Amino acid sequence: MKSLQHKAKEKDIALTPAKRRAFLLITISFPVILFVVLEVGLRAFHYGPNLSLFTKETAGGKAVYIQNNEVKARYFSRFLFNPTTSPDVFLATKPAGTYRIFCLGGSTTVGYPYWYNGAFSTFLRDRLKAIFPEKQFEIINVGMTATNSFTVLDMAEDLIDYEPDLFIVYDGHNEFYGALGVASNESFARARWLTLAYLKLVHCRTFLLLRDVYQEIAIMFRGASAPDAGGTMMEKLARGQYITYGSKLYYDGIEVFKANLEDLTSLCIQHNIPLILSSQVSNLRGQPPFISDDPDNMDAEQKLAFAATFDKASKQQANGSPDSALQGFRSAIAIDSLHANAHYRAAQCLESLGRNDEARTEYIKARDYDRLRFRTSTDFNLTIQQSCNNQSIMFVDMEHRFQERSPGGIIGNELIVEHLHPNSRGYFLMAKEYVHTLREHQRIASSSEWETRDTLNEDVLWDDRHLTEIDEIIARRRTDILTSGWPFQAQTPIVEAVAANDTLGHIAEQVTRARWTWKQAHMEAADYYFSRGEISNAIKEYRTLINMIPVSVDIHLKLAELYLQQKDYEATRLQLLASLNVEKTILAYRALGDIYLNRNQPKEAAGFYEKTFTFEQTPPERVDNGYLLALAYARANMADRATNQLLQVLNIKPDYQPAVKLLSELKSSTH
């Protein structure tokens, strides 16, 4: 026994401090090594989505960036969600003198219920181009539906590397229910620091694997009650999450929003990037509160008293007695000061009595006290304003601008389609106000240059907008579908079928049901107008397409073909030249050669015909194009070139009579 103890002691003595440290280091390093091996392996096999904000592509022979659709996986893991990402492209190498603006935010930034051509970013780009046609602008919309300030901050950190000249952020409505929000069903944690850590860890493939495993296990336990079982995205993110004004959760939301804005503004100041923030706009008159349930702290007697008072006032209002009804609603408010619908009904009475300023105050309270927080409250708008320094961090009081252009100074359905998304006039107004702010702060140009150049006729600019009737029909249909279900109606969304003879309506329906793309819808609309002889409308469809997808050469060529059919040769020429800036095509070179030859500019025609031979051609095409090139040479008094070209044509097709005849004429002229 003593011998064994002695041997153990000798062995223990043999484990020197250096060896102990080595063993400890190996023990600690093993999980790290395991993690590194797993991470490298997952990356090697391309596990998980590409979470880059942009992908690099080639357009017109140049490297460009375009928003990556898979970036959504940073923010959404519980719900199947496929938000449309912007088609805006920008050059990978920023040209000198280019002013690059990134627009961030949620569905309003995206332009809902329109596509991106109805967003304020597109109206902004068109307005700036009209004011400064000689300057180069890149306006890139990186908005994403159903997201909030966490997404804005996360994207802004990435955007620093893309040489921005300005950020425009319109955000706030989704702060509670947007992905990662404090009351969202698509949330990782309520603690802000955990959410920020999550947004860093999500770029790690091992973390993605663990997240996916967790989600699969959670779905197994949830079974049929999985969160993605049905409903709109609004319903999935917010269903059952009601928030009382002044509650802890309400103030948690404000604190998170304030902290995210502080980090955003610090980021912009640190990197010398100007930032425009704006107050959020919502429908006050046209949207009653969604949820006005009695608070839990009211006893049964108070609830009965409130119900009796409210019901009596409601009957008086319905009977056309706004004075009496107003007194009744105010009595109800005295019992329950946070009842949103009581304030809303009082506002209606005040407005009917012509007391608009008082009505607006009550409408605002009705919105602020709504327990279903799809509309930003006054506290959040004040937080936005307080985040600005009126220098590099600029503030636009968009809510006030909308009030100024609304009847009685109360925002309603004149500029808003449902509870908060602007209509096309509203988005047009937003762009105008952002430009006004740029002018006020002397961004892009000096004060004197702004004064000289910013003389646009608003009616002309509106008439030239890149938004067509099919866009308005799509927007109306989307709005009808949205407002026919929760939380607007306590039912599954149901809308009337499109009439059989409504061609544009059926085109719009294909888009709203995600069967057709926006591009396909406009192409179909152009064909429809062309078949009816409405050429100007068909042209507008193609111009709208080109404005939004300038790197798609097929659209340029379609529009050129339409101009050619109308015998508008100058418009055809300009459109074909524009197409060559996107992509070199044999069709464009051949058509331009024909135009210049018909304009008796044979030397220019020959230059375009020559370019056709940089493409592969069939023997008949080489004969046809070769003859036209020879004809252009002949008319440009380049007889030797014409002769050589004709000999090449006749080598392919010896009996091609136009070439035989022209060659004979050339020989005769030289004798």
Side-chain angles (χ1 to χ4, degrees):
M1 186 71 177
K2 289 182 178 180
S3 176
L4 290 173
Q5 289 176 342
H6 180 71
K7 287 182 178 180
K9 188 175 182 181
E10 285 183 339
K11 186 176 180 181
D12 186 54
I13 293 172
L15 196 62
T16 64
K19 288 183 178 180
R20 287 179 181 276
R21 286 194 296 271
F23 278 121
L24 180 62
L25 181 62
I26 292 171
T27 303
I28 295 173
S29 300
F30 180 74
V32 176
I33 294 170
L34 182 64
F35 168 79
V36 171
V37 170
L38 180 59
E39 181 69 15
V40 170
L42 290 172
R43 289 180 181 272
F45 286 96
H46 304 289
Y47 179 82
N50 173 16
L51 297 182
S52 301
L53 183 53
F54 300 106
T55 57
K56 185 179 284 189
E57 300 181 10
T58 301
K62 298 177 181 178
V64 298
Y65 288 116
I66 187 167
Q67 191 175 5
N68 173 29
N69 180 263
E70 289 187 299
V71 73
K72 66 187 178 184
R74 295 187 190 181
Y75 318 112
F76 295 91
S77 61
R78 296 189 66 200
F79 300 104
L80 295 176
F81 186 42
N82 191 32
T84 302
T85 46
S86 170
D88 295 333
V89 298
F90 60 102
L91 292 170
T93 301
K94 183 180 177 182
T98 297
Y99 199 86
R100 183 174 286 174
I101 302 173
F102 289 100
C103 302
L104 302 95
S107 56
T108 301
T109 299
V110 171
Y112 185 90
Y114 304 88
W115 197 60
Y116 286 86
N117 65 315
F120 69 76
S121 59
T122 299
F123 285 117
L124 174 65
R125 181 177 62 225
D126 292 347
R127 184 178 286 268
L128 287 175
K129 284 183 176 180
I131 297 172
F132 302 108
E134 77 287 356
K135 294 182 184 292
Q136 296 298 316
F137 295 99
E138 290 178 337
I139 316 251
I140 304 101
N141 191 323
V142 291
M144 185 175 291
T145 300
T147 59
N148 60 19
S149 61
F150 277 117
T151 299
V152 168
L153 178 59
D154 184 58
M155 286 186 176
E157 290 173 346
D158 283 9
L159 290 172
I160 297 299
D161 295 331
Y162 295 92
E163 302 179 77
D165 293 296
L166 174 70
F167 288 157
I168 296 178
V169 173
Y170 186 88
D171 194 49
H173 286 306
N174 295 337
E175 198 54 32
F176 285 104
Y177 304 127
L180 307 179
V182 296
S184 175
N185 287 321
E186 178 66 272
S187 182
F188 178 76
R190 286 190 177 179
R192 179 174 180 267
W193 72 270
L194 279 174
T195 300
L196 294 176
Y198 169 85
L199 288 171
K200 300 300 181 186
L201 288 171
V202 78
H203 294 277
C204 173
R205 301 294 161 171
T206 306
F207 181 81
L208 283 178
L209 176 63
L210 293 173
R211 187 185 76 172
D212 292 346
V213 170
Y214 170 80
Q215 292 295 349
E216 289 298 322
I217 294 173
I219 289 173
M220 288 174 59
F221 281 96
R222 284 194 297 262
S225 63
D228 210 42
T232 64
M233 184 53 65
M234 287 176 67
E235 185 170 2
K236 292 173 185 177
L237 293 179
R239 188 71 157 179
Q241 303 296 317
Y242 304 145
I243 304 165
T244 300
Y245 181 85
S247 65
K248 181 181 183 304
L249 188 56
Y250 177 82
Y251 284 116
D252 284 347
I254 292 178
E255 289 305 310
V256 168
F257 185 59
K258 181 178 180 181
N260 285 344
L261 286 183
E262 286 176 351
D263 283 357
L264 175 65
T265 55
S266 296
L267 180 74
C268 291
I269 291 171
Q270 177 186 349
H271 294 277
N272 196 29
I273 301 168
L275 168 66
I276 297 179
L277 300 173
S278 75
S279 56
Q280 304 292 282
V281 180
S282 52
N283 192 341
L284 298 178
R285 178 193 293 112
Q287 180 57 61
F290 290 112
I291 299 294
S292 296
D293 292 344
D294 299 331
D296 296 333
N297 60 0
M298 285 178 62
D299 58 35
E301 184 177 346
Q302 288 176 312
K303 289 182 179 181
L304 286 173
F306 176 86
T309 305
F310 185 87
D311 289 345
K312 181 180 179 181
S314 298
K315 291 176 181 177
Q316 291 171 330
Q317 183 184 26
N319 292 330
S321 302
D323 280 312
S324 301
L326 176 61
Q327 295 305 315
F329 288 127
R330 283 181 167 168
S331 296
I333 291 169
I335 300 171
D336 180 4
S337 62
L338 297 181
H339 196 279
N341 201 28
H343 286 282
Y344 182 79
R345 302 291 285 275
Q348 288 181 317
C349 293
L350 286 164
E351 188 176 11
S352 67
L353 294 169
R355 297 157 64 177
N356 290 332
D357 290 343
E358 294 174 80
R360 182 170 54 256
T361 300
E362 290 297 327
Y363 277 127
I364 290 172
K365 288 181 179 179
R367 176 201 63 195
D368 291 354
Y369 299 159
D370 189 345
R371 294 182 65 205
L372 185 57
R373 300 202 166 274
F374 282 130
R375 296 177 293 174
T376 296
S377 67
T378 301
D379 292 327
F380 282 82
N381 275 340
L382 288 174
T383 299
I384 294 169
Q385 185 173 6
Q386 291 164 0
S387 300
C388 300
N389 59 19
N390 203 35
Q391 296 174 14
S392 63
I393 312 299
M394 298 160 275
F395 177 69
V396 178
D397 195 348
M398 200 67 75
E399 183 178 43
H400 183 67
R401 299 292 184 269
F402 272 62
Q403 287 175 358
E404 290 177 329
R405 289 159 180 80
S406 300
I410 301 170
I411 302 171
N413 294 108
E414 295 81 12
L415 293 171
I416 307 289
V417 297
E418 11 78 335
H419 60 310
L420 58 85
H421 295 106
N423 58 22
S424 52
R425 277 286 185 181
Y427 283 119
F428 183 78
L429 173 60
M430 290 180 72
K432 179 181 180 180
E433 295 307 320
Y434 285 131
V435 169
H436 176 77
T437 300
L438 291 171
R439 175 176 175 171
E440 185 178 30
H441 289 265
Q442 298 180 42
R443 301 289 174 176
I444 300 176
S446 65
S447 178
S448 59
E449 190 176 1
W450 271 108
E451 185 175 357
T452 302
R453 307 298 293 278
D454 190 10
T455 58
L456 300 178
N457 184 307
E458 293 295 318
D459 292 335
V460 171
L461 191 61
W462 171 254
D463 290 340
D464 288 342
R465 68 193 182 280
H466 293 100
L467 198 76
T468 70
E469 180 58 25
I470 193 66
D471 293 305
E472 295 291 357
I473 295 172
I474 291 170
R476 288 195 295 269
R477 188 65 171 175
R478 280 181 175 151
T479 303
D480 289 344
I481 293 171
L482 179 70
T483 56
S484 68
W486 187 91
F488 303 91
Q489 305 288 335
Q491 63 180 31
T492 302
I494 299 173
V495 291
E496 293 183 5
V498 178
N501 61 347
D502 185 357
T503 302
L504 292 178
H506 281 285
I507 293 173
E509 186 74 353
Q510 297 302 312
V511 177
T512 58
R513 301 300 181 184
R515 297 170 187 148
W516 285 3
T517 64
W518 176 88
K519 176 183 176 181
Q520 187 177 358
H522 279 269
M523 297 286 276
E524 292 288 340
D527 289 344
Y528 166 74
Y529 286 128
F530 182 78
S531 69
R532 293 167 57 89
E534 299 178 26
I535 306 304
S536 61
N537 284 334
I539 289 172
K540 188 170 183 178
E541 295 296 334
Y542 286 124
R543 289 182 64 245
T544 297
L545 282 161
I546 289 170
N547 190 60
M548 288 308 300
I549 317 177
V551 295
S552 183
V553 73
D554 63 313
I555 305 173
H556 287 272
L557 296 176
K558 278 276 191 182
L559 181 54
E561 182 183 4
L562 189 56
Y563 283 136
L564 185 61
Q565 289 174 353
Q566 299 306 300
K567 297 183 179 180
D568 189 342
Y569 300 116
E570 179 60 12
T572 305
R573 182 184 72 87
L574 293 174
Q575 195 59 52
L576 289 169
L577 289 172
S579 79
L580 293 176
N581 291 327
V582 177
E583 183 180 333
K584 310 299 191 241
T585 62
I586 188 172
L587 179 60
Y589 284 127
R590 166 61 190 270
L592 283 165
D594 292 345
I595 289 173
Y596 279 97
L597 193 63
N598 290 330
R599 291 172 61 157
N600 198 27
Q601 294 178 267
K603 187 175 181 180
E604 290 79 358
F608 288 110
Y609 286 137
E610 287 170 350
K611 294 289 188 180
T612 64
F613 289 92
T614 61
F615 298 85
E616 289 189 9
Q617 299 181 45
T618 63
E621 288 173 335
R622 294 189 69 84
V623 167
D624 191 29
N625 293 331
Y627 167 74
L628 289 171
L629 176 56
L631 183 60
Y633 283 149
R635 293 184 181 178
N637 297 319
M638 293 184 282
D640 290 342
R641 288 191 180 184
T643 300
N644 290 335
Q645 187 62 43
L646 288 169
L647 291 174
Q648 293 180 42
V649 169
L650 293 172
N651 186 49
I652 300 172
K653 189 174 182 181
D655 61 344
Y656 188 65
Q657 290 306 307
V660 172
K661 182 180 178 181
L662 181 57
L663 183 59
S664 176
E665 291 174 355
L666 287 171
K667 288 180 178 179
S668 299
S669 66
T670 58
H671 294 296

